[in-house]
Amino acid sequence: MKSVVKNSIQIILGALIYALAINYFLIPNRIGEGGVTGLTAIGYYTFRIPPALTNIVLNGILILVGFKFLKRETVFYSLWAVIWISLFLRVPVLWPYHTSQTIIAAIAGGVLMGISMGLIFRAKGTIAGSTILAKIVNRYFGIRNGSAMLFFDLIVAIPSGFIIGFQNMLLTALELYVSAVVLNKYLDAIGAKKSVLVLSKKNRAIGEALSANLGQGVTMLKATGFYSQENMDALFYVCSNRDWTSVMPIIMSVDPEALVVTDQIRSVRGRHLPDL
């Protein structure tokens, strides 16, 4: 319950920042968006349809798609995010940011979008639209969330040039790129994981030290040296970026000559196993 409350509050904060980016930076300067949000902007520019209405209708349809491919928990949090985004989009805009230097609005909007989606993604949700598609691609193919989302968003953003003009379409593409970069950096810095492969004659002692100090299990693999044909244990360990700062000192304290190979993990699937 504590985790649910924390995630719900974080999603509300992300939804607030998302709505601020749209109402205060993008729409006042006729900058579009990708995915469903881009369609809401086009609907507003062309037919004056309230963005909140378009957002909740189209995203409701995509959430139904999410039921088939995503966890029920993710779908619930996504619905929660869509509701709050729609509510915040209806709040009257007091001081919209109008500027002749529209590139500033595009960059500022992109940064806010990236931060808001990072908050929502970290809380196990999405903003529906292209982010649901990005979550599905990330889960099944391991492509980074921001990169997959940028692809789907550009599918909507590029044709929007016929409505908002070529220059604003380019600004929209810039805003989407900035938001994707910010989202990837945010998730890499806070939520990403690293895999560690250790080859050492003292792997069992290293595994015991990692497990004792960081409170996680370690997987031991059987390995054979190709040249020497010598059998030995290989240690495989998955950790967060936060724990990574402690991993290397622990390994080096046991065996300073250990061979350590690390890699950034883009996607982790499956249950938490006691030995991994």
Side-chain angles (χ1 to χ4, degrees):
M1 182 57 66
K2 183 179 179 180
S3 176
V4 171
V5 171
K6 178 184 175 181
N7 288 338
S8 299
I9 293 174
Q10 187 169 313
I11 286 174
I12 293 173
L13 176 60
L16 174 61
I17 297 174
Y18 189 89
L20 289 175
I22 294 175
N23 282 342
Y24 283 81
F25 290 94
L26 302 185
I27 286 181
N29 296 283
R30 287 186 64 82
I31 298 173
E33 244 293 323
V36 167
T37 306
L39 295 176
T40 65
I42 292 174
Y44 177 79
Y45 295 142
T46 308
F47 304 107
R48 293 294 168 180
I49 300 174
L53 177 62
T54 313
N55 179 71
I56 199 165
V57 170
L58 295 180
N59 279 328
I61 295 173
L62 284 170
I63 284 176
L64 294 177
V65 175
F67 266 108
K68 182 174 178 60
F69 298 100
L70 298 176
K71 297 178 181 178
R72 295 295 178 264
E73 180 184 45
T74 301
V75 174
F76 166 77
Y77 284 129
S78 299
L79 181 60
W80 181 251
V82 169
I83 291 173
W84 279 100
I85 289 174
S86 299
L87 290 174
F88 285 132
L89 286 173
R90 293 182 60 86
V91 175
V93 180
L94 301 178
W95 301 288
Y97 181 73
H98 292 283
T99 177
S100 59
Q101 302 294 325
T102 47
I103 191 172
I104 298 175
I107 294 175
V111 170
L112 290 177
M113 283 287 194
I115 293 173
S116 68
M117 288 185 287
L119 287 169
I120 293 172
F121 275 33
R122 284 287 294 139
K124 303 181 181 180
T126 72
I127 58 171
S130 59
T131 60
I132 278 190
L133 300 178
K135 274 278 189 180
I136 293 172
V137 170
N138 173 259
R139 181 179 181 185
Y140 289 97
F141 300 101
I143 299 175
R144 299 172 77 182
N145 284 290
S147 302
M149 190 180 64
L150 177 61
F151 170 77
F152 291 117
D153 283 344
L154 286 175
I155 293 176
V156 173
I158 293 176
S160 71
F162 293 103
I163 306 297
I164 61 178
F166 181 73
Q167 177 176 301
N168 283 2
M169 183 270 289
L170 293 179
L171 289 172
T172 299
L174 173 63
E175 181 268 325
L176 291 172
Y177 175 76
V178 171
S179 66
V181 170
V182 172
L183 174 59
N184 282 336
K185 294 294 184 182
Y186 182 93
L187 295 178
D188 286 347
I190 297 179
K193 294 184 180 296
K194 289 182 181 292
S195 65
V196 184
L197 181 67
V198 184
L199 296 176
S200 167
K201 294 181 178 180
K202 301 179 180 179
N203 265 345
R204 293 194 175 276
I206 293 174
E208 291 174 359
L210 288 173
S211 183
N213 285 277
L214 300 179
Q216 288 183 232
V218 179
T219 298
M220 301 295 291
L221 307 174
K222 294 295 183 181
T224 303
F226 179 79
Y227 180 77
S228 65
Q229 294 298 306
E230 180 181 354
N231 294 325
M232 63 185 302
D233 291 326
L235 184 151
F236 183 74
Y237 185 70
V238 176
C239 64
S240 66
N241 280 344
R242 181 183 60 186
D243 288 341
W244 167 242
T245 57
S246 302
V247 169
M248 284 303 294
I250 292 173
I251 295 174
M252 292 297 103
S253 67
V254 178
D255 184 4
E257 297 183 357
L259 174 64
V260 183
V261 181
T262 64
D263 194 15
Q264 190 80 26
I265 297 177
R266 293 184 178 179
S267 178
V268 178
R269 293 181 59 195
R271 296 181 179 273
H272 293 287
L273 301 178
D275 63 336
L276 181 60

